[in-house]
Amino acid sequence: MVESAALVLKRAVELDAASRFQESLVCYQEGIDLLLQVLKATKDETKKAHYREKISHYMSRAENIKKYLEKEKEEGKYHKQIKIEENTKGFSYEKLFQEYLNETVTEVWVEDPYIRHTHQLYNFLRFSEMLVKGPCKVKTIHLLTSYDEGSGKSQQMSVLQEIERSLNDYGVTLDVSYSSSIHDREIRFNNGWMIKIGRGLDYFKKPQGRFCLGYCDLDLRPCHETTVDIFHMKHTKKT
């Protein structure tokens, strides 16, 4: 376990030096937890004193990073970027968004011009299911998208109306608006978090078959390459 703690804390220091503070904080916390377990199992007093000193040092740095990130959030300067590489897995909506969802979230804004085709509508449904499951207490979801072109328009509107009725059964209001000029994709929560995904919600690849792993569990679904930018602002823009 000592070796595991050393590897995690080494990674924390590297991320810290690269100014990737959010990621380094996670590693510091994980490494400190491992060192605490080592300390608990150690009988040698000299070693225990050494581990206590290390833990104190890393805890102090982690606390300073936490304060810095809180200050950045308060000043609206927070920015984290995640790069999803081609064919990587493990980026379900739960994994991507849950860190930013808590009980204070009651309202969500989704701006995505491509909630049109069947698989895109399913993506929005899955995103809505995640919001309903909690831990947030969502009461209203605002969706701004664009009309499907040609014959798909009636199906698009019909499906969104069905999702609206289903959400209503859970006490959630879906407010759908359409725009012919929308281009940017972003998702905002009323606790101040804003997530911009290059491909919007449509970053999963088509499954190989209906009975292949990843068809149901999006953590097992390969992704298209895209970039996720995460910001925190004091006041979320409302439309």
Side-chain angles (χ1 to χ4, degrees):
M1 193 174 290
V2 176
E3 292 81 5
S4 297
L7 285 172
V8 173
L9 289 166
K10 180 184 177 185
R11 180 60 176 157
V13 172
E14 289 171 351
L15 291 166
D16 192 349
S19 299
R20 293 165 63 179
F21 298 122
Q22 183 70 44
E23 295 166 90
S24 70
L25 179 60
V26 172
C27 288
Y28 276 127
Q29 291 169 335
E30 184 182 340
I32 290 166
D33 285 342
L34 289 170
L35 274 184
L36 285 169
Q37 293 177 51
V38 171
L39 176 63
K40 189 176 179 181
T42 301
K43 304 300 182 185
D44 187 288
E45 289 300 324
T46 303
K47 288 184 177 180
K48 287 176 82 168
H50 171 73
Y51 292 138
R52 286 194 187 100
E53 184 181 347
K54 288 289 185 182
I55 289 167
S56 176
H57 169 73
Y58 290 124
M59 285 183 73
S60 176
R61 180 55 190 157
E63 190 59 34
N64 286 337
I65 291 175
K66 195 180 295 183
K67 287 177 182 177
Y68 172 78
L69 291 174
E70 286 298 323
K71 185 172 180 289
E72 290 281 286
K73 285 192 285 187
E74 282 297 311
E75 295 176 354
K77 296 178 181 178
Y78 181 93
H79 178 215
K80 175 182 177 181
Q81 188 174 84
I82 300 170
K83 291 186 177 180
I84 300 177
E85 303 293 341
E86 187 79 5
N87 289 319
T88 52
K89 303 180 184 74
F91 289 98
S92 66
Y93 297 141
E94 284 82 1
K95 290 283 179 65
L96 200 57
F97 294 105
Q98 283 290 0
E99 182 181 344
Y100 312 102
L101 295 172
N102 54 38
E103 293 185 354
T104 66
V105 177
T106 58
E107 199 165 4
V108 178
W109 293 262
V110 179
E111 295 184 8
D112 191 328
Y114 297 105
I115 309 295
R116 304 178 184 178
H117 301 148
T118 301
H119 73 282
Q120 296 165 342
L121 291 160
Y122 270 122
N123 286 340
F124 180 70
L125 176 60
R126 291 187 183 102
F127 177 76
S128 299
E129 287 174 336
M130 176 197 67
L131 294 174
V132 169
K133 285 192 297 184
C136 51
K137 308 292 184 183
V138 171
K139 294 298 180 187
T140 307
I141 301 172
H142 303 275
L143 171 64
L144 178 62
T145 188
S146 59
Y147 283 118
D148 193 5
E149 298 173 357
S151 59
K153 180 179 176 181
S154 60
Q155 181 193 4
Q156 175 194 24
M157 294 178 68
S158 175
V159 170
L160 287 173
Q161 287 167 3
E162 186 174 349
I163 295 174
E164 181 181 353
R165 290 192 297 270
S166 183
L167 282 167
N168 193 55
D169 291 339
Y170 288 86
V172 179
T173 299
L174 174 61
D175 170 38
V176 182
S177 301
Y178 299 91
S179 170
S180 59
S181 59
I182 180 176
H183 176 72
D184 292 341
R185 302 164 178 85
E186 67 180 46
I187 294 169
R188 303 190 304 276
F189 305 129
N190 69 321
N191 62 351
W193 290 107
M194 178 170 68
I195 294 93
K196 294 188 175 187
I197 309 173
R199 295 182 62 96
L201 293 173
D202 190 13
Y203 58 87
F204 297 106
K205 290 196 166 184
K206 183 179 179 180
Q208 292 181 329
R210 288 185 297 166
F211 296 97
C212 292
L213 295 182
Y215 186 83
C216 297
D217 189 341
L218 293 180
D219 270 323
L220 301 176
R221 181 85 67 88
C223 297
H224 291 287
E225 181 177 344
T226 194
T227 301
V228 183
D229 288 288
I230 301 158
F231 305 90
H232 188 279
M233 300 180 296
K234 261 188 170 182
H235 305 288
T236 302
K237 171 189 169 189
K238 295 186 179 183
T239 55

